[in-house]
Amino acid sequence: MVINQVGSFNHMYVMLSQEGILPSAKGYRRVYILLEGSAKYMLGQKFGISQSPCVFGVEEGDIFALIPVDRASILEISLGKDEECEGETIDLRFVEHGARHPLVMKKFSELKKGEGFYIINDHDPLPLYFQMSFAFPKKVGWGYVEVKEDFWKIGIKKLKE
């Protein structure tokens, strides 16, 4: 993924992507502008396809993703910047499937605001995010750290009390 920081001013950050935005939920507001091309999008629980030019406003804690259908340029304007997620790493690949979600939900419920941890899974755990966002509305920070075949590393952080 090619993302270039264009600039920043007074806690406002501008990034330009040519390849898309992976699903993420962050603790600050963001605006995404599809400058050229078309893309599939996910905003909260809503999915669709959009043509440029198009603007998406994303509130704190809402998940957003933009996957280009063809060549696309995407501008992100954010009122905050990702902080490194600190905490332990839980490798779910060695946990029984039926115990994975309850384990992560319990760990998340024990966090204080601003605390986090990482999970490693053998497939995209996006359904876990949806389950967590229903249980903890606007409190789940979610970010893809590393994605390979059969390896997904996600940073999870508690956003609000």
Side-chain angles (χ1 to χ4, degrees), residues 3-21:
I3 297 179
N4 298 311
Q5 182 166 331
V6 177
S8 64
F9 174 76
N10 224 9
H11 302 291
M12 183 185 314
Y13 300 89
V14 180
M15 308 285 266
L16 180 64
S17 171
Q18 302 284 299
E19 295 184 17
I21 308 290

Side-chain angles (χ1 to χ4, degrees), residues 31-36 53-56 66 73-77:
V31 173
Y32 292 95
I33 304 168
L34 181 59
L35 297 171
E36 66 175 328
C54 186
V55 176
F56 301 91
L66 199 61
S73 291
I74 303 146
L75 191 64
E76 174 185 341
I77 303 169

Side-chain angles (χ1 to χ4, degrees), residues 119-124 144 146-148 151-154:
I119 60 170
I120 296 174
N121 206 12
D122 54 9
H123 63 276
D124 187 353
Y144 288 77
E146 188 176 352
V147 176
K148 299 179 189 172
F151 182 91
W152 301 75
K153 184 174 183 180
I154 311 295

Side-chain angles (χ1 to χ4, degrees), residues 3 6 21 26 31 37 43-44 52 62 67-69 77 80-81 90 95 98 112-113 123 126-127 133 141 155 161:
I3 297 179
V6 177
I21 308 290
K26 300 180 180 185
V31 173
L43 178 55
S52 64
D62 282 345
I67 298 108
V69 173
I77 303 169
K81 190 173 183 179
I90 301 169
V95 175
K112 293 181 180 134
K113 180 183 175 187
H123 63 276
L126 195 56
S133 69
E161 286 298 314

